[in-house]
Amino acid sequence: MRTGSSVLVLLVGCSLTTVAVGDDYNYQVGLAYSSAQSDSTVVPTFGGVPDPSLGITTSSSDSDTIELTGIWYYSGLSDDNGPKSRAAFMSRASGLVISYANGDESTATEFSGSSTIPPQFSRSDGSNKGYSLDLRHVWKDSGWFARAGISRTELDLELTNNVGAPAFAKFDANRYTLGVGKYLGQATTLGLAITTLDVGSSNPTVIALDFSHIGSLGADWQWGADVAFGKSDTGGDGDTVALRGSLYPTPSIEFGLSFSRQDRSGGFDLKTTEAFGGWFVQDNIQLTARYRLDDSDTFPGQDIDRDEFGIGVNMRF
């Protein structure tokens, strides 16, 4: 978390910047910072029962990421109807999204040793960069919309241990997405998307169905629901279910919870829970915050804990 304090100062400074205020916008820029920490313990099993005498492996990771986002609403964006954070959804805005992320991660792993294997230590230091371009075009009169996107992630690693010279590794992954959908009402959509991933020798394809709705709750409050289901062509490995619920006590304030579950190979799965919130401190400036927990169902003898928090600011003009 070397950059945490400086990024926080920058975000707060941005939120106090005054620009022209209006209800119609053409652009949005965003800056976000996130920090994650994970710890894992692996105890070998003997006869299906964990046996510490065979050696315990512990691992700890820390990562920091900064992401810049720019959106061009080439048909205009109005926030007159509904929550400001869902203005693009409510006004059926078409937009082109460009983002860039830069992060670093350090992982330390230690093996306690056993009667036959001496203790060992290893460390990896990595830097990653991510680029993405996504388009959503809406035909306002008919309610149909189309989506297309592409992204690339690059990872560079330096590996060191107590028994050999440093080693270097490089990985990259690409994503390609095409989708189509339709507004079923003023505030309800149903969409279908096909995503292909290119990760080394693996090229899985995921077909996803998503549903979104914004409704009223009493005289002033509103609520939002987003549901998505993704089916992978890798025999169940990668199937995902995602749920997101939001409350809007005023058009400027949002808070809620999201939950997702992804199936992994070997019959294990990853569950993610996230609490989030946002506040438009001015008509065109939003501050955001989130906190996420990952829960991995693993084999006996393994325990993995991961948490992540993030803050951000978005500005429209």
Side-chain angles (χ1 to χ4, degrees):
M1 296 175 57
R2 298 185 301 273
T3 58
S5 59
S6 60
V7 172
L8 179 60
V9 172
L10 179 59
L11 294 179
V12 173
C14 289
S15 70
L16 299 178
T17 303
T18 302
V19 299
V21 175
D23 293 328
D24 297 302
Y25 308 96
N26 297 108
Y27 305 97
Q28 176 174 308
V29 293
L31 172 64
Y33 166 77
S34 63
S35 178
Q37 181 175 359
S38 65
D39 298 285
S40 68
T41 302
V42 178
V43 181
T45 60
F46 181 78
V49 179
D51 186 352
S53 67
L54 298 177
I56 301 175
T57 301
T58 58
S59 180
S60 178
S61 299
D62 292 281
S63 65
D64 298 281
T65 303
I66 295 178
E67 182 175 12
L68 301 173
T69 303
I71 308 176
W72 173 33
Y73 296 109
Y74 53 87
S75 62
L77 172 71
S78 173
D79 63 2
D80 292 336
N81 184 25
K84 291 179 179 292
S85 61
R86 303 299 292 267
F89 176 83
M90 297 297 293
S91 66
R92 303 190 178 188
S94 298
L96 179 67
V97 183
I98 301 174
S99 68
Y100 168 75
N102 192 319
D104 58 78
E105 180 174 356
S106 297
T107 302
T109 303
E110 183 175 356
F111 176 68
S112 63
S114 66
S115 59
T116 58
I117 304 176
Q120 298 182 28
F121 173 83
S122 66
R123 179 182 178 87
S124 67
D125 294 288
S127 62
N128 62 80
K129 295 180 175 61
Y131 316 85
S132 68
L133 180 67
D134 293 277
L135 172 69
R136 179 179 184 263
H137 182 81
V138 184
W139 290 270
K140 291 187 176 183
D141 293 337
S142 66
W144 285 95
F145 60 87
R147 294 179 292 190
I150 183 173
S151 68
R152 178 176 176 84
T153 302
E154 300 174 349
L155 173 63
D156 292 300
L157 283 177
E158 179 181 354
L159 310 173
T160 58
N161 56 50
N162 61 336
V163 295
F168 301 90
K170 184 178 180 66
F171 306 92
D172 58 70
N174 299 298
R175 169 190 62 90
Y176 309 94
T177 300
L178 289 174
V180 65
K182 192 179 191 308
Y183 278 83
L184 306 180
Q186 178 60 37
T188 305
T189 62
L190 183 65
L192 179 69
I194 300 176
T195 297
T196 298
L197 302 176
D198 180 7
V199 186
S201 59
S202 176
N203 297 279
T205 297
V206 178
I207 299 177
L209 185 69
D210 62 84
F211 171 85
S212 296
H213 177 75
I214 303 293
S216 298
L217 189 64
D220 300 316
W221 286 54
Q222 290 183 289
W223 60 275
D226 301 278
V227 181
F229 173 75
K231 181 68 176 177
S232 173
D233 65 352
T234 55
D237 184 15
D239 292 354
T240 303
V241 176
L243 308 172
R244 178 185 173 99
S246 306
L247 288 175
Y248 310 95
T250 74
S252 298
I253 297 176
E254 172 190 27
F255 61 89
L257 287 172
S258 67
F259 172 82
S260 68
R261 187 181 113 171
Q262 183 182 63
D263 294 333
R264 297 291 182 89
S265 59
F268 309 121
D269 57 60
L270 170 65
K271 299 182 183 71
T272 297
T273 304
E274 181 173 291
F276 59 89
W279 175 33
F280 276 84
V281 293
Q282 296 186 24
D283 283 346
N284 64 327
I285 299 176
Q286 180 194 32
L287 300 180
T288 63
R290 61 183 182 85
Y291 179 73
R292 166 177 163 172
L293 289 173
D294 292 345
D295 178 20
S296 299
D297 285 343
T298 60
F299 53 83
Q302 184 177 40
D303 179 46
I304 300 176
D305 298 304
R306 185 182 187 276
D307 67 317
E308 176 181 332
F309 82 91
I311 52 176
V313 59
N314 298 308
M315 183 182 301
R316 295 170 179 168
F317 53 96

